[in-house]
Amino acid sequence: MSAQKNILLLGSGFVAEPCLEYLLRSGNNRVTVACRRAEKAQDLVNKYAGATAMSLDVEDDAALDAAVAAHDLTISLIPYTQHARVMTSAIKAKKHVVTTSYISPAMEELDAAAKQAGIVCMNEIGLDPGIDHLYALKIINEVHDQGGRILSFESFCGGLPAPEASNNPLGYKFSWSARGVLLALRNNARYWQDGKLVEIAGKDLMDSTRPIFIYPAFALVGYGNRDSSHYRQRYNIPDAATCVRGSLRYQGFPEFAKTLVNMGFLDDTPRAALSTSATGDLPWSRVTQQLLGLSSDDPAELLRAAETHIETQDPEMRRRVIHGIKWLGITSPAVAAAKRGTYLDVLCARLEELMMYGEGERDMIILQHKFEVENKDGSHNTRTSVTLMYGEPNGFQAMAKTVGVPCGIAAQLILDGKLTTTGVIAPMTREIYEPIMELLPAEGINAVEETV
């Protein structure tokens, strides 16, 4: 029987449980779930034998060093800004680390030290990033092995409500804070399109959406996700005139989201009138009146003002956005706004009130890679790879599972000595991604490939 392995799991958010469940299938693993507040960790470990909880402040360097040193491997599912701190402790203790986050400059700077310590610091092994890398590189390397070239690469991924749960004007729901989703609307996008480098300012991101055809049943649109221009180099596809990685949403989301952006709701400047210390009631009509700089909080006047921020000229889409504004209640004097300090956070509170997943509702993840290929003989074809997965009603969400399980698989392979590449790494080479990919179908995670 193999020796017992001790794993430190930092964080108890919704992706932690599928990861924990996977790791505890091995009777040789013992997992310590650590959070700043021990009761959060305890709530999670109460469901599983072989798991214990502890209180840990990762900003306490001595405490973090001791916790990391006491375990064989640390999984960091806390905010990405803390990963470099965790890796620094791991390097001191010569212990392995796994994260699901992109490799940041601060993490990359630790590569040489991690190699010298002989440890694996595996990153980008969730869904996006993670599973997207695995299935993209599989096809890219197959084409290269056969003497072909990738002339175009498009990858779009979305975590969405299942169709029957997409029952609100945005066609979107939240599993946790809405803030990150809204702030992402301010990100710039950069990618290659037909040989030209395209740069889109955050304020124009929602204007850049276009239909993405995957299955006829889904009315999906996509837009660029941050800077994907360097993936020509990262994926070794220098001949790709188009190289874009983006996000998916249901049709109608961009127009409604852009209206909220135009109205000023992404403003995160602290406002005294919105602070928790402000006295008196705060009806939504007054919030919107102040935001738009109007003299009246009359709902009809507010709605007319909001309509001026709708950019689409499509009559049906304009009606959908107006319906959405009414549905949100942001022009109503009868709906109380939460005092959260900024227009952004007040809106987040309202979205979270209306748009969280309900009892038994399913989420969905959908990921499509699309390749234009020139084969060795000069012929051309299109190859696609689609991953579609639904959450379990009242069970693990698809997003949680597709982030947490690949992370758990990578951790287990490291502990088993099957992933041994040291340094600060991502699943970019076959010896890393193939062992992980082989284990995904047993977890219900796979890709359907087609060539046309």
Side-chain angles (χ1 to χ4, degrees), residues 42 48 102 194 218 224 251 369 402:
Q42 191 64 52
Y48 298 94
Y102 285 108
D194 299 325
F218 298 120
Q251 180 191 82
H369 296 315
T402 52

Side-chain angles (χ1 to χ4, degrees), residues 355-373:
M355 295 171 56
M356 301 298 283
Y357 282 96
E359 184 76 16
E361 288 188 331
R362 301 186 303 165
D363 76 322
M364 174 185 86
I365 67 96
I366 186 164
L367 163 67
Q368 183 196 58
H369 296 315
K370 186 177 181 181
F371 309 83
E372 299 299 332
V373 178

Side-chain angles (χ1 to χ4, degrees), residues 42-246:
Q42 191 64 52
D43 287 343
L44 177 56
V45 304
N46 283 343
K47 304 176 186 179
Y48 298 94
T52 56
M54 72 174 290
S55 173
L56 178 65
D57 180 357
V58 296
E59 295 186 353
D60 181 335
D61 290 338
L64 180 61
D65 286 351
V68 170
H71 295 81
D72 298 295
L73 180 146
T74 296
I75 296 172
S76 184
L77 296 178
I78 55 179
Y80 77 95
T81 52
Q82 300 288 1
H83 292 333
R85 182 189 296 271
V86 174
M87 287 181 183
T88 298
S89 293
I91 289 166
K92 292 177 191 174
K94 297 186 177 181
K95 300 297 178 71
H96 306 297
V97 177
V98 178
T99 86
T100 60
S101 302
Y102 285 108
I103 297 174
S104 69
M107 294 155 70
E108 195 168 15
E109 287 177 3
L110 298 172
D111 180 56
K115 288 176 178 174
Q116 187 173 1
I119 66 169
V120 180
C121 293
M122 169 68 77
N123 307 279
E124 304 188 26
I125 191 59
L127 169 62
D128 177 6
I131 292 172
D132 56 348
H133 293 329
L134 313 186
Y135 292 128
L137 289 166
K138 174 183 180 291
I139 290 181
I140 289 168
N141 286 327
E142 286 175 357
V143 170
H144 289 168
D145 289 347
Q146 295 163 7
R149 300 189 299 155
I150 303 294
L151 302 183
S152 173
F153 170 69
E154 295 184 345
S155 175
F156 286 88
C157 183
L160 298 165
E164 75 278 5
S166 61
N167 53 351
N168 65 58
L170 277 165
Y172 197 83
K173 288 190 176 175
F174 302 98
S175 301
W176 63 100
S177 170
R179 202 174 204 271
V181 175
L182 292 184
L183 287 177
L185 300 177
R186 303 198 305 201
N187 291 336
N188 300 334
R190 193 167 186 260
Y191 53 87
W192 291 97
Q193 186 72 47
D194 299 325
K196 296 180 180 179
L197 188 60
V198 176
E199 299 188 70
I200 298 173
K203 65 182 179 63
D204 300 320
L205 188 63
M206 291 297 97
D207 295 327
S208 70
T209 60
R210 59 184 173 89
I212 302 295
F213 300 103
I214 300 178
Y215 293 128
F218 298 120
L220 298 169
V221 295
Y223 52 90
N225 183 8
R226 305 200 185 199
D227 185 359
S228 53
S229 63
H230 63 287
Y231 275 84
R232 291 207 301 191
Q233 177 181 1
R234 201 173 191 207
Y235 282 172
N236 189 28
I237 49 173
D239 299 316
T242 294
C243 181
V244 57
R245 298 170 81 247

